């Protein structure tokens, strides 16, 4: 488990890397209001705050003074009245010491510290924000409108945080493995429940309950649908029907907030049709192809394109695509079926550090984002390095609106057989298969026990629940 | 189920009740950010918006024009690119018709409508806000700082909304009964899992999973603890130990967002000790006393004080309190053990309409809040009326910090035996028993099947899981 040296070392490394002076402000999260001020969602600490300062409590605020080399946590202790309602409380001073922070003070002192820093024209570093309440508070602190925080967003802080967080150490991998173990139980449970007549809402609720019973809960809103072809699909109103495919994209957060993120696609009732099996095995082959390539030094863009090629070849073999496959992939024809990226970084955020700006996390000076439908959605293109944790999630989808659009607009007609698509695949749905991997010295390891993935393994798991 | 007439009638009644002119602005909720902009909590629609406009989608905005008698929903339709990711979408125009709203327009038209209204000095009515993002948007719309919205908060709108929402009709009761049925399963499951060695986190997760699998999820953050004496306790880090009492305060939201809210207190391993049984039956007697009193015309303050008296009498009978019981209650001596209120309104919010301001919901010109420790926390004091849905949740707690404080400060020494408390009850914990009730023409009905509540019923339920 992490201890105070973990956090001291993270802050020291950040301090050493920062090319600029001034104050770094890291607001912890406040409670997120649900339907009125005192009824809140489950508390979620800010990832940057928890990475640097550890403390998993609302209304905390971290400051790193780059000039004086001091780290602060600001927060209010509870008074005697609160103790009656909240039970005995450890003072902030003592809690902060557990994370190696020696300087603590009440929130009002934060206001005077920032006021003074602004008056002295010291540089202030913040990261991009994502919650309204935090923006309102930062606006107050910095005496600007909450929608005028951009000048304080620090590219150097952002770049240093990415460098720090993108490589996971052994303790972090342990935490991700914990999340993966919860994810394993979620996915095998979903398989066992994939029986005709069961509702999507029921299965989604049960597996989210597993995430809550073993960790912080889900790492992102569960996708669980017989309409796997709808990529942004959080609707769970369907009832399972034999012959349909149920796509489940779900993950957990360990109690430390480290995430898992897996996708499996399950035949309702337990038997793939032969057509489903064909497409399924194309996706699996693409997943395995990328698996075999991941290693330090290779770009994730290359892995993405290699998986795309496996998909295009497979689709040609079943008559859906045609022509020269290298040309097809160069022209992005595969993207009608695989319109998203191969994967993304994973860590304290399921799309790790996405809040800092995806392009800064996934790309660099050498590998730039590709401006082509499909590949433009690849979140991670740059060279892989030892210690990266990434997802591998190819998919094949039959999206009626997209098929219609490309057909009408004459896009990639040389590579796609629209006739067979319209005759046989409009109600197919979609398949995605996603594992989480650690880039090692020489290759990559799947994190956690691998969730059943072959046709035989998945069918056997569904059979357990029949 | 609700249909479009439900919503038309609600808006018409509001219109008819409003003593002022101008525009009523009802912002629907946006997505609530979890750990970065695109990773959000489960969507929760605003209760007022869903009550008046029905639509359960983010980024919608309702307007009622009191002068022209027109209702609007503003929101953006998705474009073709979105349809590829989100699947076929029903246009807003069509969706709004399902709720009887004939006027829809994109969000940009809302900005021009409000700009014009402000220029023409028309009256703008908003309700108190609770989310940062909504405040930032309202600030933009009204061209004020997000922290300067107070002048727009309308007491007449608030009072009309309370009048509308406080009496539940038959369809609303159906929805609350649905939530209660989920709550029943949550609580009986918790009882069956209350075995030594099981973690609090595990049970909390499993029951929250039930809420998610049958409805929208929990109606408030579950309290599940062997430290029932800590009233604001969302810590689930304990492991169950034989001989301890596990207090579970939990509820569900139906898919319509209507809530349930129940509390039970369970002996870990399935057998109450004789001391626990004594205190338990005092709380149960207080619950039953209030049950027997609830009816139109009686004030909830009187029911609260009657329950307090049953508690004081019971505690006297076991030697914890002493002296004249009427005097003890008048002096608030019971509040050391029962420091909260008997209950609150329940509906679309678990503390119904608390966001409007609790004192306006629970009190009126005749019944004013009582300024005494304990009773000051009663959320609902006013006269009960047919159609109110309320909770009945007396409790007895042994709070070491409070016992110490009152002992030291000489508070209510005439009515409390501190010696016996310190010798025998400091590690007792706390007991609360909570039902949901509908005030009927002549009395009150418990909503949903009553969750096992007698000593015998609870012990039998725990035994099922042993």
């Amino acid at each position: 488990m992490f201890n105070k040296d973990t956090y001291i070392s993270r802050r020291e490394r950040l301090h050493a890397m920062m090319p600029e002076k001034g104050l770094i402000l890291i607001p912890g999260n406040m409670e997120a209001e649900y339907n009125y001020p005192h009824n809140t969602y489950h508390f979620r600490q800010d990832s940057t705050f928890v990475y640097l300062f550890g403390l998993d409590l609302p209304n905390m605020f971290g400051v790193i003074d780059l000039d004086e080399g001091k780290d602060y946590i600001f927060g209010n202790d509870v008074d005697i009245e609160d103790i009656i309602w909240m039970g005995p409380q450890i003072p902030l001073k003592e809690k902060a010491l557990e994370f190696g922070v020696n300087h603590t003070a009440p929130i009002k002192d934060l206001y005077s510290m920032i006021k003074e820093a602004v008056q002295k024209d010291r540089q202030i570093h913040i990261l991009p924000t994502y919650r309204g309440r935090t923006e309102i508070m930062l606006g107050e602190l910095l005496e600007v409108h909450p929608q005028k925080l951009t000048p304080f967003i620090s590219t150097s802080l952002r770049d240093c945080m990415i460098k720090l967080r993108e490589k996971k150490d052994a303790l972090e991998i342990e935490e991700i493995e914990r999340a993966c173990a919860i994810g394993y139980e979620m996915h095998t449970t979903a398989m066992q429940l994939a029986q005709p007549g069961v509702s999507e809402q029921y299965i989604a609720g049960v597996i989210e309950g597993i995430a809550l019973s073993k960790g912080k809960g889900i790492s992102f809103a569960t996708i669980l649908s017989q309409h796997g072809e709808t990529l942004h699909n959080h609707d769970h109103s369907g009832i399972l029907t034999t012959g349909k495919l149920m796509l489940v994209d779900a993950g957990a957060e360990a109690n430390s907030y480290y995430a898992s993120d897996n996708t499996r696609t399950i035949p309702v009732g337990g038997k793939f049709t032969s057509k489903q099996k064909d497409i399924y095995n194309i996706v699996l082959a693409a997943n395995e192809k990328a698996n075999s390539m991941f290693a330090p030094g290779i770009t994730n863009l290359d892995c993405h394109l290699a998986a795309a090629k496996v998909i295009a070849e497979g689709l040609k073999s079943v008559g859906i695509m045609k022509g020269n496959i290298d040309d097809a992939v160069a022209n992005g024809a595969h993207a009608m079926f695989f319109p998203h990226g191969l994967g993304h970084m994973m860590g304290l955020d399921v799309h790790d550090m996405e809040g800092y700006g995806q392009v800064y996390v996934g790309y660099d000076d050498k590998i730039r984002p590709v401006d082509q439908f499909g590949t433009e959605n690849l979140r991670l293109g740059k060279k892989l390095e030892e210690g990266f944790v990434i997802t591998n999630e190819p998919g094949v989808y039959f999206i009626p609106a997209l098929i219609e659009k490309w057909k009408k607009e004459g896009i990639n007609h040389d590579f796609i057989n629209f006739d067979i698509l319209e005759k046989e695949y409009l109600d197919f749905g979609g398949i995605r298969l996603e594992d989480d991997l650690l880039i090692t010295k020489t290759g990559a390891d799947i994190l956690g026990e691998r969730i059943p993935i072959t046709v035989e393994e998945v069918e056997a798991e569904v059979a357990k629940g029949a």
Side-chain angles (χ1 to χ4, degrees), chain A:
Chain A
M1 274 297 292
F2 304 124
N3 60 30
K4 80 176 181 184
D5 295 331
T6 311
Y7 300 97
I8 292 172
S9 142
R10 288 171 176 178
R11 292 192 303 268
E12 281 178 353
R13 278 183 290 152
L14 172 61
H15 194 157
M17 287 162 76
M18 274 294 286
E20 294 171 310
K21 293 292 180 182
L23 289 183
I24 294 176
L25 310 191
I26 308 289
N29 277 336
M30 296 176 240
E31 298 279 7
E33 298 87 356
Y34 185 69
N35 56 336
Y36 52 86
H38 290 293
N39 206 30
T40 54
Y41 284 101
H42 285 307
F43 176 67
R44 210 298 181 176
Q45 185 56 288
D46 175 70
S47 295
T48 310
F49 185 88
V50 84
Y51 183 85
L52 293 172
F53 292 94
L55 207 52
D56 189 17
L57 289 171
N59 306 319
M60 299 288 142
F61 201 105
V63 174
I64 296 177
D65 186 328
L66 293 165
D67 304 295
E68 307 225 342
K70 282 186 189 167
D71 306 334
Y72 300 81
I73 296 178
F74 293 89
N76 294 334
D77 273 311
V78 302
D79 62 21
I80 173 70
E81 295 309 315
D82 294 326
I83 288 172
I84 291 169
W85 306 107
M86 300 168 67
Q89 300 288 313
I90 302 164
L92 175 58
K93 195 167 185 54
E94 227 171 285
K95 282 184 223 157
L97 284 175
E98 288 174 43
F99 303 97
V101 176
N102 301 312
H103 305 284
T104 58
I107 291 286
K108 68 173 173 40
D109 292 5
L110 172 66
Y111 280 82
S112 42
M113 182 192 211
I114 304 301
K115 205 182 179 75
E116 198 190 308
V118 170
Q119 278 163 358
K120 289 192 181 160
D121 223 13
R122 294 182 67 188
Q123 204 172 344
I124 304 281
H125 304 267
I126 69 168
L127 290 163
T129 54
Y130 54 95
R131 287 196 181 180
R133 281 266 164 266
T134 304
E135 288 163 14
I136 290 172
M137 189 205 189
L138 284 171
E140 251 183 20
L141 273 173
L142 298 166
E143 295 182 14
V144 296
H145 191 278
Q147 285 166 306
K148 305 282 182 200
L149 293 167
T150 316
F152 297 96
I153 293 175
S154 163
T155 58
S156 58
L157 176 59
R158 177 197 73 204
D159 293 344
C160 292
M161 284 308 305
I162 292 171
K163 277 280 158 247
L164 267 177
R165 286 176 58 186
E166 69 182 1
K167 290 196 187 185
K168 276 68 179 176
D169 65 24
L171 289 174
E172 290 180 285
I173 298 302
E174 256 182 52
E175 293 301 320
I176 294 172
E177 295 262 12
R178 273 185 232 275
C180 289
I182 304 169
Y184 184 94
E185 191 179 334
M186 291 163 73
H187 279 276
T188 51
T189 301
M191 288 177 186
Q192 291 166 24
L193 292 172
Q195 311 298 339
V198 179
S199 74
E200 293 169 355
Q201 180 178 32
Y202 178 75
I203 304 177
V206 170
I207 70 176
E208 295 193 1
I210 293 171
L212 286 159
S213 69
K214 306 269 169 101
K216 287 285 186 190
I218 51 175
S219 55
F220 58 98
T222 301
I223 295 171
L224 189 151
S225 176
Q226 293 169 104
H227 285 287
E229 80 282 6
T230 304
L231 298 178
H232 295 178
N233 191 348
H234 297 286
D235 177 74
H236 300 151
S237 63
I239 302 294
L240 300 199
T241 312
T242 306
K244 287 272 180 196
L245 293 171
M246 176 175 85
L247 187 149
V248 183
D249 189 350
E253 282 185 346
N255 282 323
S256 57
Y257 293 118
Y258 282 85
S260 75
D261 179 6
N262 293 98
T263 309
R264 289 295 184 266
T265 308
I266 308 155
V268 174
K271 286 286 165 201
F272 288 97
T273 66
S274 100
K275 192 162 82 173
Q276 287 169 347
K277 220 180 286 188
D278 288 345
I279 305 295
Y280 189 95
N281 282 324
I282 293 169
V283 179
L284 182 54
N287 173 298
E288 295 294 6
K289 175 69 185 174
N291 260 350
S292 71
M293 292 174 71
F294 293 133
I298 193 164
T299 72
N300 203 50
L301 177 58
D302 283 343
C303 299
H304 170 86
L305 292 171
K309 191 173 166 189
V310 170
I311 286 170
E313 280 164 348
L315 292 176
K316 184 177 176 184
S317 76
V318 296
I320 293 173
M321 289 185 72
K322 61 187 179 185
N324 179 286
I325 288 306
D326 287 324
D327 293 347
V329 172
N331 281 284
H334 64 280
M336 194 172 79
F337 309 99
F338 175 38
H340 61 70
L342 181 68
H344 51 79
M345 297 262 199
M346 195 183 78
L348 271 170
D349 303 308
V350 63
H351 292 172
D352 210 24
M353 304 174 279
E354 185 175 298
Y356 297 165
Q358 197 168 276
V359 68
Y360 309 111
V361 177
Y363 292 87
D364 56 22
D365 294 342
K366 296 192 196 79
I367 306 291
R368 301 302 306 154
V370 174
D371 184 22
Q372 184 186 60
F373 179 81
T375 306
E376 72 190 353
N377 295 315
L378 179 64
R379 295 171 197 277
L380 172 65
K382 70 184 182 186
K383 216 175 254 191
L384 300 175
E385 295 183 50
E386 187 183 351
F388 282 14
V389 169
I390 62 168
T391 65
N392 172 20
E393 48 179 313
V396 167
Y397 315 88
F398 298 91
I399 306 170
L402 187 55
I403 293 171
E404 192 187 327
K405 184 176 191 288
W406 282 28
K407 188 186 175 193
K408 214 170 66 186
E409 297 177 9
I411 299 171
N412 280 314
H413 280 219
D414 292 346
F415 305 110
I416 295 168
N417 285 318
F418 285 93
D419 285 357
I420 187 172
L421 279 177
E422 291 192 330
K423 251 183 271 170
E424 296 185 31
Y425 288 92
L426 288 184
D427 65 347
F428 184 95
I431 292 172
R432 180 164 63 252
L433 297 172
E434 177 181 21
D435 296 315
D436 304 327
L437 297 104
L438 168 66
I439 305 300
T440 61
K441 203 179 283 295
T442 55
D445 289 341
I446 290 177
L447 290 165
E449 186 179 351
R450 197 177 198 189
I451 298 163
I453 194 164
T454 66
V455 161
E456 297 71 26
E457 287 166 356
V458 172
E459 290 186 347
E461 197 66 36
V462 184
K464 287 186 193 167

